[in-house]
Amino acid sequence: MHVPPSAGDCVQHIIAIRIETMTPDPITEQNRRSWNAVVPVHTSHRADEADFLRNGGSTLFPEEIALLGDIRDCRLLHLLCNTGADSLSLAARGAIVTGVDLSDAAIAYARALSGASGIPATFVQADVYDYLAAAAVDGLRFERIYAGYGVICWLRDLHAFAHGIATLLTPGGRFVLMEFHPTSNMFSADWQLAYNYPHGGTPLELPGVGDYVGAAEGGLSPSGFLPGVSDFTNPEPCTLYRWGVGEVVTAFAQANLRLRVLHEYCYVNGERPFTRMVQAEGRRLYPPPDIPALPLMYGLAVEKDHNDE
């Protein structure tokens, strides 16, 4: 199914040209290379996503759907959208979706997936800060902005991120974040308390983005799990940033966005970050019975005041 370009696509093309003239951050560029290396590994574990989406399948979880609310006919910006399946699942619910991601490989896959599934969406390859700045200059506005699952750790500046979102939201518009709880980063894979609570945006250098899709054993492959690439070692290292929940909430409060919801969940969707996790319905995983309940995810919804212009 051919999806004709819209006026929004033309504006996004202008933004993409503007972004190309910006000076890249060296750490961000290295992170882009790390993501480009792992994208084909992640997608190798997913059965025909286009067919899955084309026939009404969705990669979304109930938590983000509830926080986003009714998105029919909303202009929705999906930041750090990865390979686009969540973006297209949002579009299938009636939103007019723009997805933005740092990785060239992820965006190329997302565009192909949009065409093959017949679900229209616009995808832009850009550093999130560059996109927010360029979109603000061009006057783009969105009723909903969404980011989910492994986003905050890639942000070098929380306040710039929050203020950029506040600028692009329409009055009454809502930003929703679904994220892994930083408390979970205090534990080793076998549930031993091992690390300090993340805070301050402290950089964390890693050997590279890993194959968490393969490790999830189907939790992140609702279209069907394939063995795909095995024993992957990323040749490109990456740098993450460690932030606490209080710092995230404060950044949005200081951007004059009103906190509507902050939920903490003692389970995790899709991923399998620890050993012996207990699988429940809907790709939800809990700690084993001998581990006390602790927050593994949180969900945030903030809104722009109706009087803010």
Side-chain angles (χ1 to χ4, degrees):
M1 175 178 175
H2 174 67
V3 181
S6 65
D9 290 329
C10 295
V11 173
Q12 298 293 353
H13 179 66
I14 293 170
I15 288 175
I17 293 172
R18 189 191 305 280
I19 289 168
E20 286 178 3
T21 66
M22 296 180 176
T23 303
D25 171 71
I27 293 177
T28 302
E29 277 296 287
Q30 180 56 45
N31 286 345
R32 182 182 64 82
R33 288 190 286 269
S34 191
W35 275 106
N36 281 349
V38 80
V39 161
V41 179
H42 289 173
T43 57
S44 76
H45 298 299
R46 294 172 173 142
D48 194 339
E49 284 191 294
D51 184 69
F52 174 74
L53 293 168
R54 187 169 51 245
N55 288 293
S58 174
T59 58
L60 302 172
F61 290 97
E63 291 80 7
E64 55 263 30
I65 292 172
L67 290 175
L68 283 163
D70 185 2
I71 59 173
R72 286 174 296 179
D73 299 321
C74 285
R75 291 165 294 177
L76 188 152
L77 175 63
H78 183 187
L79 297 174
L80 290 85
C81 68
N82 202 271
T83 53
D86 285 355
S87 304
L88 297 176
S89 295
L90 292 164
R93 297 181 69 84
I96 304 161
V97 175
T98 297
V100 178
D101 198 87
L102 177 65
S103 166
D104 318 65
I107 289 299
Y109 185 92
R111 289 170 176 163
L113 187 60
S114 175
S117 66
I119 302 173
T122 299
F123 290 102
V124 179
Q125 185 276 320
D127 170 37
V128 64
Y129 296 101
D130 291 347
Y131 180 86
L132 292 172
V137 169
D138 285 314
L140 285 190
R141 296 295 181 267
F142 300 89
E143 286 81 22
R144 295 286 191 278
I145 300 179
Y146 171 64
Y149 301 101
V151 169
I152 294 299
C153 63
W154 298 104
L155 301 179
R156 59 188 180 270
D157 187 335
L158 275 184
H159 291 275
F161 181 71
H163 280 274
I165 285 170
T167 299
L168 296 190
L169 280 174
T170 59
R174 183 184 308 170
F175 169 71
V176 167
L177 171 72
M178 280 299 307
E179 189 55 280
F180 302 114
H181 203 292
T183 295
S184 66
N185 297 133
M186 298 175 68
F187 293 84
S188 64
D190 59 353
W191 299 100
Q192 298 300 305
L193 187 60
Y195 309 106
N196 293 330
Y197 183 75
H199 69 282
T202 307
L204 176 65
E205 296 181 3
L206 295 177
V209 183
D211 184 15
Y212 57 82
V213 177
E217 299 177 348
L220 297 173
S221 307
S223 62
F225 180 69
L226 300 174
V229 177
S230 61
D231 301 322
F232 172 72
T233 299
N234 198 322
E236 299 286 353
C238 63
T239 300
L240 280 62
Y241 303 91
R242 296 165 60 79
W243 300 103
V245 173
E247 292 170 316
V248 174
V249 175
T250 298
F252 286 104
Q254 292 181 345
N256 294 321
L257 296 174
R258 183 189 300 270
L259 178 65
R260 306 302 300 181
V261 175
L262 176 60
H263 287 313
E264 295 175 292
Y265 310 93
C266 293
Y267 55 83
V268 66
N269 285 335
E271 285 208 31
R272 194 181 291 269
F274 302 103
T275 60
R276 301 186 294 118
M277 296 198 79
V278 178
Q279 178 98 36
E281 188 177 355
R283 297 184 288 134
R284 182 178 291 177
L285 293 113
Y286 288 86
D290 60 309
I291 300 297
L294 66 145
L296 298 179
M297 296 193 315
Y298 68 99
L300 171 78
V302 294
E303 292 182 353
K304 188 169 184 174
D305 192 270
H306 283 276
N307 298 320
D308 283 354
E309 295 295 337

